[in-house]
């Protein structure tokens, strides 16, 4: 009897594996179903009861396609390990692995990946990944002669289809209506959704014929003519994971902008991001395409805003303390901060953003007297290890969350540690402004800051970022955008500052405005420039 229990037929192995995926890896899916039921209280309880069966039948049918001798064990071991990670992200943080998140994952570096390793993630991998993978490895799967095995598999698959057909016969309209009202359901099905997204990413980036590269703005010309003879200097600070609702400037009730509040920054209200993850937002915000027509494959095959500035004779430098520029800065001077470069500010795994201030000092000390754009890509509020984003002396809001499994911190602790990152970024911005003020004898300086996307901190059960844009909460898409403009810059570039402050207060901005705003600020004229998207154009005399 025990021997029979240990020995599994292929079909029994398939069905048991499918049940495991339904009962464990799809727990987040049933959480979404529960929310859907709460919105639709008159739903038939028998229909709801069929959902686990429907999913088990469907997965069993799909899994049968891969239960081939010599393939079955390595395939399901790898699939189970991957599904374990996806399940943990969805269960703990409500993160969905769609195409954008897959793209972000592929572009995550080693140091960034380690930030997600904690006790909870290790235990999850042990219990739902490694242990089941070991049991799959040890399973005694018995194979019959080829044609007999094939017949049994076909009959099994037909039985699964019959089960699906019977459920659909009685509840097709219910499934259709419930699915329309809860479109996000399909994104939580493990493993089909993340496998589909990963397959699409691999196809787009590795299997399709590369798109011919398209230069943009080769006609670009710098038409600035500052009467005082000083060149323009713009420092663009690109933030990471900063959301506007945690900014004092946007109505937040904590002093998260204490460092810049007396520096006369202009606050652009109601600004939205192009995506909810760096791998999407960063190339999108510098591309000629807007969010609605953005295509990552085309974006990587054409010039960016910094390339057009470079074509126009503007000196462009990119300094990165985050996860890289995602191709945006590949054709201009760029430096990624060495994580061992400063023993006081770097640990070998990360650097505090103050390291960029030192790099800015070095650059300004030897800067050419020509129109220049310097991009500082900060690590800002990158989670989940928010507590590693600010030095101890900038730990102003306490108690904070001194751990990476942020879901186990209290709401106040989590909010405090995130707010510390915002306040620290505000300090970085204030120091950039001070350094630019000290350059006014040589340059007409200005500063522009905006974040790549926002962050969820437990609202509606969601953490971190990367949600599909169609269902992303405002916490992940509403971002801060700030500007500081020196008196000489505004005067020599004919900017009406009162007009700009009034225009900024009206709101309605997005990453779509960045491309043309950069060209406009630096007086670069080209056929690809669209004045209607330049947020400074209406206030330029």
């Amino acid at each position: 009897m025990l021997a029979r229990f240990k020995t599994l037929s292929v079909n029994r192995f398939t069905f048991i594996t499918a049940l495991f995926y339904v009962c464990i890896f799809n727990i987040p899916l049933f959480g979404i179903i529960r929310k859907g039921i709460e919105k639709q209280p008159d739903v038939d309880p028998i229909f709801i009861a069929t959902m686990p069966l429907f999913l088990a039948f469907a997965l069993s049918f799909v899994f049968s396609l891969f239960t081939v001798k010599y393939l079955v064990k390595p395939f399901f071991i790898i699939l189970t390990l991957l599904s374990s990670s996806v399940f943990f992200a969805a269960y703990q943080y409500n993160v969905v692995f769609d195409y954008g998140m897959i793209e972000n994952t592929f572009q995550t570096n080693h140091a960034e990946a380690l930030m997600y390793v904690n006790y909870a993630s290790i235990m999850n991998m042990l219990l739902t990944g490694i242990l089941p993978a070991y049991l799959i490895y040890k399973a005694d799967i018995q194979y019959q002669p080829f044609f007999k095995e094939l017949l049994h598999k076909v009959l099994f698959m037909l039985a699964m289809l019959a089960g699906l057909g019977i459920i659909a016969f009685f509840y097709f309209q219910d499934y259709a209506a419930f699915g329309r009202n809860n479109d996000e359901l399909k994104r939580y099905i493990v493993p089909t959704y993340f496998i589909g997204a990963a397959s699409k990413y691999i196809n787009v980036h590795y299997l399709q014929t590369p798109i011919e590269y398209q230069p943009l703005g080769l006609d670009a010309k710098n038409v600035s003519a500052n009467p005082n003879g000083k060149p323009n200097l713009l420092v663009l600070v690109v933030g990471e994971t900063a959301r506007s609702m945690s900014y004092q400037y946007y109505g937040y009730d904590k002093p998260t902008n204490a460092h810049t509040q007396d520096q006369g920054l202009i606050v652009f209200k109601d600004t939205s991001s192009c995506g909810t993850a760096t791998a999407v937002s960063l190339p999108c915000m510098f591309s000629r395409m807007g969010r609605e027509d953005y295509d990552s494959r085309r974006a990587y095959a054409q010039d960016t805003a910094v390339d057009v500035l470079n074509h126009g004779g503007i000196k462009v430098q990119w300094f990165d303390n985050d996860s890289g520029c995602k191709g945006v800065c590949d054709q201009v001077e760029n430096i990624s901060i060495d994580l061992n470069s400063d023993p006081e500010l770097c640990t070998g795994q990360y650097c505090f953003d103050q390291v960029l201030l030192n790099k800015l000092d070095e650059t300004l000390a030897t800067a050419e007297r020509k129109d220049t754009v310097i991009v500082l890509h900060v690590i800002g509020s990158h989670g989940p290890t928010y507590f590693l984003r600010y030095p101890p002396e900038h730990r102003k809001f306490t108690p904070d969350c001194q751990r990476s499994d942020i879901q186990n911190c209290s709401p106040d602790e989590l909010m405090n540690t995130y707010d510390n990152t915002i306040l620290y970024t505000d300090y970085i911005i204030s120091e950039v402004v001070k350094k630019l003020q000290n350059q006014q004898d040589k340059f007409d300086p200005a500063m522009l800051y905006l974040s790549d996307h926002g962050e969820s901190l437990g609202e509606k059960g969601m953490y971190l970022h990367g949600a599909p844009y169609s269902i992303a909460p405002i916490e992940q898409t509403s971002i801060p955008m700030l500007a500081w403009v020196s008196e000489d810059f505004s005067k020599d570039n004919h900017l009406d500052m009162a007009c700009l402050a009034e225009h900024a207060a009206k709101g309605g901005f997005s990453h779509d405005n960045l491309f043309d705003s950069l060209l406009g600020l630096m007086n670069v004229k080209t056929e690809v420039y669209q004045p209607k998207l330049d947020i400074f154009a209406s206030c330029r005399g």
Side-chain angles (χ1 to χ4, degrees):
M1 184 71 176
L2 183 60
R4 287 186 61 191
F5 178 77
K6 288 182 177 180
T7 300
L8 297 173
S9 67
V10 174
N11 292 339
R12 183 178 293 180
F13 170 84
T14 304
F15 194 69
I16 290 174
T17 303
L19 285 178
F20 174 76
Y21 274 68
V22 171
C23 296
I24 302 299
F25 292 151
N26 282 282
I27 288 175
L29 169 67
F30 293 112
I32 301 299
I33 290 174
R34 178 181 58 80
K35 292 179 181 178
I37 295 171
E38 292 171 353
K39 294 186 297 184
Q40 187 180 334
D42 58 341
V43 67
D44 186 340
I46 300 178
F47 156 63
I48 296 300
T50 67
M51 288 185 172
L53 277 177
F54 190 94
L55 184 58
F57 292 154
L59 289 181
S60 295
F61 180 86
V62 173
F63 286 175
S64 291
L65 300 174
F66 300 93
T67 52
V68 179
K69 192 173 184 179
Y70 306 121
L71 170 66
V72 57
K73 287 190 176 183
F75 175 82
F76 283 101
I77 286 173
I78 294 171
L79 185 64
T80 298
L81 293 174
L82 292 174
S83 297
S84 174
S85 297
V86 171
F87 157 71
F88 181 77
Y91 183 72
Q92 293 288 9
Y93 305 120
N94 215 351
V95 169
V96 175
F97 274 77
D98 64 343
Y99 180 88
M101 182 54 71
I102 293 293
E103 185 173 39
N104 203 45
T105 301
F106 269 82
Q107 296 184 19
T108 297
N109 57 40
H110 175 71
E112 186 176 356
L114 287 176
M115 299 172 190
Y116 296 89
V117 177
N118 51 55
Y119 176 78
S121 65
I122 292 172
M123 290 303 298
N124 171 78
M125 178 56 69
L126 287 173
L127 295 175
T128 70
I130 294 176
L131 178 59
Y134 175 76
L135 294 176
I136 292 171
Y137 172 73
K138 296 295 290 184
D140 183 10
I141 303 174
Q142 295 296 309
Y143 297 89
Q144 301 183 68
F146 178 78
F147 286 107
K148 190 174 182 180
E149 185 67 54
L150 180 61
L151 176 61
H152 283 195
K153 177 179 288 191
V154 170
L155 291 175
F156 176 77
M157 295 176 74
L158 289 174
M160 296 302 102
L161 285 178
L164 292 172
I166 291 170
I167 293 174
F169 178 80
F170 289 100
Y171 293 106
F172 175 78
Q173 293 298 334
D174 298 85
Y175 273 95
F178 197 81
R180 282 195 301 269
N181 294 331
N182 302 275
D183 184 63
E184 70 273 22
L185 281 174
K186 62 180 181 290
R187 299 183 175 94
Y188 287 85
I189 299 176
V190 177
T192 55
Y193 194 75
F194 86 83
I195 291 297
S199 299
K200 180 181 177 182
Y201 177 85
I202 291 170
N203 179 54
V204 167
H205 288 270
Y206 299 104
L207 302 180
Q208 291 186 7
T209 302
I211 299 175
E212 183 178 354
Y213 194 86
Q214 180 186 7
L216 297 177
L218 295 180
D219 63 328
K221 292 182 179 179
N222 181 2
V223 297
S224 62
N226 293 357
N228 63 13
K230 294 188 295 183
N232 292 322
L233 169 62
L234 172 66
V235 173
L236 172 63
V237 182
V238 178
E240 167 69 58
T241 321
R243 64 186 206 173
S244 61
M245 54 277 302
S246 294
Y247 270 63
Q248 187 179 3
Y249 288 130
Y250 292 86
Y252 193 44
D253 60 0
K254 290 164 71 173
T256 52
N257 297 117
H259 298 290
T260 61
Q261 61 182 352
D262 296 326
Q263 291 183 321
L265 270 59
I266 295 171
V267 180
F268 293 87
K269 302 289 186 178
D270 184 25
T271 302
S272 60
S273 66
C274 185
T276 61
T278 305
V280 176
S281 282
L282 196 62
C284 180
M285 65 199 285
F286 284 95
S287 78
R288 175 63 285 174
M289 293 173 280
R291 188 184 71 80
E292 293 293 337
D293 62 343
Y294 177 73
D295 178 87
S296 61
R297 192 161 172 257
R298 282 199 296 136
Y300 283 103
Q302 63 180 229
D303 282 343
T304 66
V306 296
D307 295 323
V308 178
L309 289 170
N310 189 44
H311 296 330
I314 307 297
K315 182 177 177 60
V316 183
Q317 298 171 288
W318 185 294
F319 301 117
D320 206 292
N321 188 40
D322 199 6
S323 56
C325 70
K326 314 303 181 187
V328 173
C329 65
D330 287 355
Q331 301 185 80
V332 300
E333 180 184 342
N334 65 87
I335 295 174
S336 289
I337 298 298
D338 182 349
L339 300 182
N340 295 292
S341 60
D342 189 319
E344 294 184 1
L345 298 174
C346 303
T347 67
Q349 295 295 325
Y350 62 88
C351 294
F352 295 123
D353 282 325
Q354 281 170 262
V355 73
L356 289 171
L357 298 178
N358 296 341
K359 182 60 67 174
L360 183 60
D361 282 335
E362 295 173 13
T363 302
L364 293 177
T366 59
E368 299 178 56
R369 296 293 294 270
K370 64 179 298 186
D371 288 352
T372 301
V373 172
I374 299 173
V375 183
L376 304 179
H377 188 196
V378 302
I379 199 168
S381 303
H382 197 296
T385 51
Y386 307 117
F387 69 100
L388 299 179
R389 301 292 158 253
Y390 48 91
E393 63 269 24
H394 288 269
R395 186 185 178 198
K396 302 300 182 184
F397 304 113
T398 57
D400 53 354
C401 178
Q402 294 280 313
R403 55 198 297 176
S404 62
D405 52 339
I406 54 177
Q407 71 279 2
N408 293 318
C409 291
S410 71
D412 286 344
E413 289 172 337
L414 179 55
M415 199 64 69
N416 281 340
T417 196
Y418 182 81
D419 290 344
N420 281 332
T421 69
I422 298 297
L423 181 60
Y424 181 59
T425 297
D426 191 66
Y427 165 76
I428 299 297
I429 294 171
S430 73
E431 290 298 302
V432 169
V433 170
K434 291 175 184 177
K435 293 178 188 303
L436 292 180
Q437 289 172 333
N438 292 334
Q439 294 292 317
Q440 292 185 93
D441 60 328
K442 296 184 291 187
F443 291 97
D444 287 347
M447 186 280 305
L448 180 65
Y449 166 81
L450 76 170
S451 184
D452 57 354
H453 54 78
E455 186 85 329
S456 288
L457 297 172
E459 299 89 359
K460 304 180 184 69
M462 299 185 75
Y463 293 87
L464 304 176
H465 53 266
Y469 207 94
S470 60
I471 64 169
I474 191 172
E475 288 83 6
Q476 296 188 30
T477 61
S478 181
I479 58 168
M481 182 161 65
L482 314 169
W484 173 83
V485 180
S486 67
E487 183 177 348
D488 281 353
F489 188 100
S490 62
K491 178 181 178 181
D492 293 338
N493 292 281
H494 310 290
L495 270 178
D496 184 332
M497 297 308 295
C499 168
L500 186 59
E502 182 179 349
H503 179 56
K506 293 178 181 178
F509 308 102
S510 75
H511 278 164
D512 291 358
N513 298 113
L514 183 62
F515 189 104
D516 301 284
S517 298
L518 289 176
L519 298 183
L521 271 177
M522 299 307 294
N523 301 288
V524 172
K525 298 302 180 185
T526 168
E527 288 184 359
V528 299
Y529 170 69
Q530 298 180 22
K532 65 180 181 180
L533 292 175
D534 179 357
I535 58 178
F536 301 95
S538 62
C539 296
R540 188 178 292 114

